[in-house]
Amino acid sequence: MALVRLISSRKLSPPFFSRNVDRLELTRIGSIRVAAFFSTQKLVGDDEPVLVRDFIHRALYDAKDGYFSQRSQSVGVLERSIKFNQLEGRKAYMKLLEKVYKQSDISWFTPVELFKPWYAHGIAEAILRTTNLSVPLKIYEIGGGSGTCAKGILDYIMLNAPERIYNNMSYTSIEISPSLAKIQKETVAQVGSHLSKFRVECRDASDLSGWRNVEQQPCWVIMLEVLDNLPHDLVYSQSQLSPWMEVLVENKPESESLSELYKPLEDPLIKRCIDIVEHEAPPVSKPKEIWSKLFTKPRRCWLPTGCLKLLEVLHEKLPKMSLIASDFSFLPDVKVPGERAPLVSTKKDGSSSDYSSYLDAKGDADIFFPTDFWLLERMDHYCSGWRKTEKDGTPSKKGRKRRTLTLDTSAFMDEFGLPSKTRTKDGYNPLLDDFKNTKFYLSVPTHNTK
C-alpha cells in the first residue's frame, strides 16, 4: 500500500496519508530535544508490575521524563493564516509547509492551526445547527492546544449567530499543560470581547474530582486529536477459545529490559471495556468459528480504557452534553502487534523510525492510537446509561440511545465548512483531499427516557 508520511511531526503527518500517492519522507524540520530517557525503574518501579495503560501514561506524560515534557514548543502557531487560494497546487502547498517548519522550532501543527480559521468555523457551524439556542450556549474543549480552535469558534459565533447567543455564551478549556493554558489565554485575548466568555481550567479532564457540581444544562464538549494519545490497555489470549488476560509490564530482575506479565482479568476498567466490545460485536459466522477452533493462535487486543474513563466522567458530570470529536481512524506502517495497535515513532539524527514494541518507548517516542469509531459510539451509548449491567449480570437499558453520526473529515467539512477557502488554484484541496484517515464523531442526547 503506497502511503505518504509528510514532514517530521506526527500531528501533521498522519492526516496526509493517501492511497493515491507514493510514500515521501522529508528531512527533519523543527527540533526535538530529548533529555535523559526513562530508565526501566522510572517506568515501572522496583516492586510491583504496572498495567500497560500506566506504563504508556508515564512514557508520554511523566512531568520530567515523559515524551511530551521533553519537546520544545510542541504545538505550533502560525503567524498568519495560509492563503490557499493564492497557491498553485499541491506542490506549492508542500513547499510552503516545509518552509514554515524550517522557520519554526516546534514539534507539530494541528489541523485546526493549518486551516485556521476555516477548520474551527466548520465546527462552530455544526454546533449552531445542532444546539438548542433557547438556553445559553456552553462549550467545553478538552486539550485546547494553542487556543486557535477556541478563538475561531468564538469569532464565528460573534459574527454569525444572534447577538444574544454570543453575549450569553461561555467557553471553558480544560488543559492539563500549564504552558499551553497560558498560550490559550493569549490567543483568545486577541479579541477583547472574548475574554469575558473564556476561561482555562488547568487539570486532567478524566479526573472526576476536578469537576465541580453536575452541569444540568445542555452543553457541548469538543475533543480534537485527544483520543489518539489517551492511555490504552492490552489484553492477551492464548487462543481464540481461551479467556482474555490483562497485560502488565514488569522489570526483569536480571536485566534492565522490560517484559510482559499475564494475569487473569481483575481490573474493573478493563472488564467494562471488554464487556462493551464483546456484547456489541457482531456474531461470528459459522465457517469462521470452525476455522478458529481448528487453527488456534494467540490474540492481542488494545482497549481504549483511557477513552472509556474520560467518557464515564463526562457523562456523569455533563449528562446533557453533546460531543464532537475528531481523530485518526487509521494509522499506516504500524509494527506493534494487536488489534487497534499504536504507532510508536521516534526521531533520531534527523530521521524517523518506528518501534516494533511499545516497550521500547522510554520517554523518547510518541505512542498514538487509531480511533475505532464503531467502538467509540458504543462506549458513548454505554456511558450515557443506554446499557448498564445489573447486579445479576443481565443487561439493563435505561433511557434512549444518543443520536450519533460519524463522518470522514472531507464529508464533515463539505457539510459544515467552507471548502472553497482551502482550495488552491488548480482545484487541489488539502483539507478534503489529504485527510483520508481522519473522521469526525458527533453525538447528541435525546433527553427521552422510557
Side-chain angles (χ1 to χ4, degrees):
M1 185 182 298
L3 300 167
V4 157
R5 173 176 292 170
L6 299 175
I7 312 301
S8 63
S9 65
R10 73 94 170 161
K11 284 290 182 185
L12 174 61
S13 55
F16 287 80
F17 293 119
S18 170
R19 296 176 182 267
N20 303 318
V21 290
D22 294 329
R23 181 182 174 97
L24 174 65
E25 188 75 32
L26 298 182
T27 56
R28 184 187 190 193
I29 303 172
S31 66
I32 301 174
R33 299 195 180 107
V34 181
F37 299 152
F38 274 141
S39 69
T40 55
Q41 283 73 26
K42 290 182 180 179
L43 278 168
V44 180
D46 296 322
D47 301 320
E48 295 296 324
V50 298
L51 288 168
V52 170
R53 69 170 180 262
D54 296 321
F55 173 87
I56 291 175
H57 189 274
R58 295 176 190 178
L60 291 177
Y61 299 109
D62 183 86
K64 180 181 179 182
D65 299 303
Y67 176 72
F68 290 113
S69 68
Q70 300 182 48
R71 301 177 73 86
S72 173
Q73 302 177 10
S74 60
V75 179
V77 179
L78 293 176
E79 292 184 4
R80 59 185 64 87
S81 300
I82 297 175
K83 305 297 183 182
F84 294 94
N85 299 153
Q86 298 178 10
L87 299 174
E88 290 295 331
R90 187 178 189 278
K91 185 176 180 181
Y93 172 65
M94 294 306 304
K95 186 176 180 180
L96 174 63
L97 285 186
E98 184 176 1
K99 179 181 177 182
V100 167
Y101 266 81
K102 285 181 178 179
Q103 293 174 344
S104 306
D105 180 24
I106 52 86
S107 296
W108 63 72
F109 286 109
T110 58
V112 73
E113 187 69 33
L114 283 176
F115 299 100
K116 69 180 180 184
W118 316 117
Y119 197 92
H121 285 186
I123 295 171
E125 175 63 20
I127 291 175
L128 288 178
R129 285 197 210 173
T130 313
T131 195
N132 178 6
L133 297 178
S134 65
V135 298
L137 177 60
K138 294 184 178 182
I139 299 175
Y140 295 87
E141 183 180 6
I142 297 174
S146 61
T148 296
C149 181
K151 181 181 180 299
I153 289 177
L154 287 164
D155 287 346
Y156 189 87
I157 293 175
M158 179 179 66
L159 296 173
N160 295 279
E163 185 176 357
R164 63 178 177 82
I165 302 301
Y166 175 74
N167 290 339
N168 295 323
M169 72 174 294
S170 64
Y171 196 114
T172 302
S173 174
I174 301 174
E175 176 58 57
I176 198 170
S177 166
S179 59
L180 286 178
K182 181 175 181 294
I183 294 174
Q184 289 172 24
K185 293 178 183 177
E186 295 171 352
T187 299
V188 173
Q190 294 173 20
V191 178
S193 61
H194 292 346
L195 286 178
S196 62
K197 302 157 183 60
F198 179 80
R199 75 173 187 269
V200 180
E201 297 180 2
C202 197
R203 59 186 177 85
D204 181 354
S206 64
D207 183 357
L208 186 64
S209 64
W211 293 85
R212 300 185 183 91
N213 298 329
V214 175
E215 174 59 74
Q216 297 292 353
Q217 294 300 315
C219 63
W220 274 90
V221 174
I222 301 172
M223 297 189 293
L224 306 180
E225 292 82 47
V226 169
L227 303 177
D228 55 56
N229 273 134
L230 289 181
H232 284 52
D233 271 292
L234 178 62
V235 291
Y236 170 83
S237 174
Q238 293 179 340
S239 72
Q240 294 94 323
L241 305 178
S242 301
W244 288 114
M245 293 184 287
E246 59 188 33
V247 181
L248 297 90
V249 181
E250 65 175 350
N251 282 311
K252 286 185 176 180
E254 67 277 7
S255 68
E256 285 291 312
S257 61
L258 300 171
S259 63
E260 291 182 344
L261 176 66
Y262 309 118
K263 289 186 175 182
L265 290 180
E266 295 179 354
D267 181 72
L269 186 58
I270 295 178
K271 286 183 176 181
R272 290 198 299 276
C273 201
I274 290 178
D275 176 56
I276 297 170
V277 172
E278 295 188 340
H279 185 275
E280 299 287 353
V284 179
S285 64
K286 196 66 175 179
K288 189 174 182 180
E289 182 181 355
I290 296 173
W291 184 270
S292 298
K293 291 180 179 179
L294 293 176
F295 301 96
T296 60
K297 61 179 181 179
R299 296 184 297 166
R300 296 170 69 86
C301 181
W302 292 85
L303 300 173
T305 46
C307 175
L308 177 57
K309 179 183 177 183
L310 176 58
L311 287 175
E312 288 178 337
V313 170
L314 292 177
H315 277 289
E316 179 172 343
K317 291 298 184 179
L318 309 173
K320 294 183 180 180
M321 76 162 180
S322 295
L323 173 65
I324 183 167
S326 175
D327 230 301
F328 308 120
S329 58
F330 165 76
L331 295 173
D333 305 325
V334 173
K335 297 180 179 180
V336 178
E339 185 179 356
R340 306 184 201 92
L343 186 62
V344 183
S345 183
T346 189
K347 191 167 293 293
K348 296 178 182 178
D349 301 324
S351 61
S352 63
S353 61
D354 300 331
Y355 289 135
S356 59
S357 172
Y358 69 96
L359 295 176
D360 293 330
K362 300 179 177 65
D364 64 334
D366 196 355
I367 307 171
F368 54 106
F369 294 82
T371 294
D372 183 336
F373 282 85
W374 174 89
L375 180 55
L376 174 63
E377 180 184 20
R378 277 137 189 88
M379 289 193 301
D380 188 22
H381 289 319
Y382 176 90
C383 294
S384 69
W386 163 244
R387 188 183 68 80
K388 299 287 188 181
T389 300
E390 299 288 6
K391 292 181 179 180
D392 61 0
T394 59
S396 171
K397 295 181 178 180
K398 301 178 181 179
R400 299 183 65 179
K401 279 189 175 181
R402 293 168 64 84
R403 291 177 291 163
T404 62
L405 180 66
T406 299
L407 294 171
D408 292 335
T409 295
S410 59
F412 178 89
M413 289 301 171
D414 262 334
E415 177 65 28
F416 300 109
L418 291 171
S420 62
K421 298 296 185 179
T422 56
R423 185 180 299 128
T424 61
K425 291 181 179 180
D426 67 357
Y428 164 70
N429 192 324
L431 182 55
L432 302 187
D433 298 338
D434 289 342
F435 281 60
K436 301 299 184 182
N437 65 330
T438 62
K439 295 180 184 292
F440 274 85
Y441 175 73
L442 291 87
S443 168
V444 299
T446 61
H447 304 303
N448 297 324
T449 58
K450 291 183 178 181

